[in-house]
Amino acid sequence: MSRRAESRRALPLVNLLSASEFERMAARRLRRRFVVGGIALIVLVGGAWTYQHVRVAEAQKLVAVEQAETNRLSSQTQVLAPVRTFVNGVAVQENTVQSAMVGEIYFSDVLDGIRDATPPGAQLATVAVTLAAPTDPAAGVTVSACPGPDPFNTRPVVGCVTLSGTAATRAEVGDMVVQLGHSSLFVEPFIATTTTGETDEVTFSGSVGLSEKAYSKRYGVPEPATADGVS
């Protein structure tokens, strides 16, 4: 290292500025910092306010669009109000028909069952099916009093078939009763009278109850019937 450099390092440093001048310089720096910070804060607040303002404007546009759509749909709903009334009326009628028809019987199945149970030598003259009025129209429960072989131990039936005809012998009439008893459609077959004519031909009349198997169930499942008419 040269002597000049060593002499410079050896010289004392003299501050020619007063302490008050340093204080003023520090104050000016502090003011500049406050001004810069204030400007930055103003810019930040202004940007945030602008962003929120844009978002509010967009939200208001969406609300206006939804309100217009709501008004349009409300107008269409008012136009379709008669259709809704008609649909409700159809639903009421459907329920009425369902309640009235829930106890529907397949008469064709009943007649086929009676024909299958009739022996070849017997002929039916009359067949009549009687269904009692529902005890509960809403549920469609039907019970029908039908004579049976045991009047003190009757079984629940939903209808009564009265029939009459002729047979070659009383044995054929008995076979018919047995066949009706074996069918799930019928309950308690009962022949009330048998009469033998001059030609030995047997005339008979009687009845047989219908079980719940005879229900069509196209309109619903009826409540179970009981012998006393209470479900």
Side-chain angles (χ1 to χ4, degrees):
M1 182 180 295
S2 63
R3 294 180 177 180
R4 183 178 296 178
E6 291 178 356
S7 62
R8 286 179 180 177
R9 293 185 61 185
L11 292 175
L13 297 177
V14 179
N15 194 346
L16 301 178
L17 298 177
S18 63
S20 60
E21 184 64 24
F22 280 108
E23 292 177 357
R24 285 194 295 271
M25 292 173 62
R28 284 196 298 269
R29 287 195 299 268
L30 186 60
R31 283 196 296 269
R32 283 197 297 269
R33 290 178 181 176
F34 274 118
V35 170
V36 172
I39 293 174
L41 181 61
I42 292 173
V43 171
L44 180 62
V45 172
W49 181 86
T50 303
Y51 176 71
Q52 293 297 330
H53 181 72
V54 171
R55 290 190 60 186
V56 170
E58 292 178 352
Q60 289 176 346
K61 290 180 181 178
L62 291 176
V63 170
V65 171
E66 294 298 331
Q67 287 179 345
E69 182 68 12
T70 301
N71 293 334
R72 184 182 68 82
L73 294 177
S74 298
S75 300
Q76 292 182 353
T77 302
Q78 292 177 357
V79 172
L80 295 176
V83 177
R84 183 62 181 174
T85 302
F86 174 76
V87 172
N88 291 337
V90 171
V92 172
Q93 294 296 326
E94 180 181 1
N95 291 333
T96 301
V97 172
Q98 183 175 2
S99 298
M101 297 297 295
V102 71
E104 181 192 39
I105 299 293
Y106 274 146
F107 290 100
S108 59
D109 291 347
V110 174
L111 295 177
D112 289 342
I114 293 175
R115 184 173 58 243
D116 293 340
T118 303
Q123 293 183 350
L124 295 176
T126 61
V127 177
V129 180
T130 302
L131 300 177
T135 57
D136 183 359
V141 181
T142 57
V143 291
S144 174
C146 198
D150 185 357
F152 301 102
N153 187 23
T154 58
R155 296 172 57 187
V157 295
V158 299
C160 186
V161 181
T162 57
L163 47 87
S164 63
T166 58
T169 63
R170 282 188 170 86
E172 289 186 347
V173 178
D175 290 340
M176 182 177 180
V177 172
V178 171
Q179 292 300 321
L180 288 173
H182 288 167
S183 175
S184 61
L185 286 175
F186 304 109
V187 178
E188 294 187 328
F190 176 66
I191 300 300
T193 61
T194 56
T195 304
T196 303
E198 296 178 357
T199 59
D200 293 334
E201 187 178 59
V202 178
T203 301
F204 64 89
S205 63
S207 63
V208 62
L210 293 178
S211 72
E212 295 178 353
K213 296 288 186 179
Y215 281 134
S216 68
K217 299 182 180 179
R218 294 190 301 172
Y219 302 94
V221 180
E223 294 292 334
T226 60
D228 58 359
V230 180
S231 62

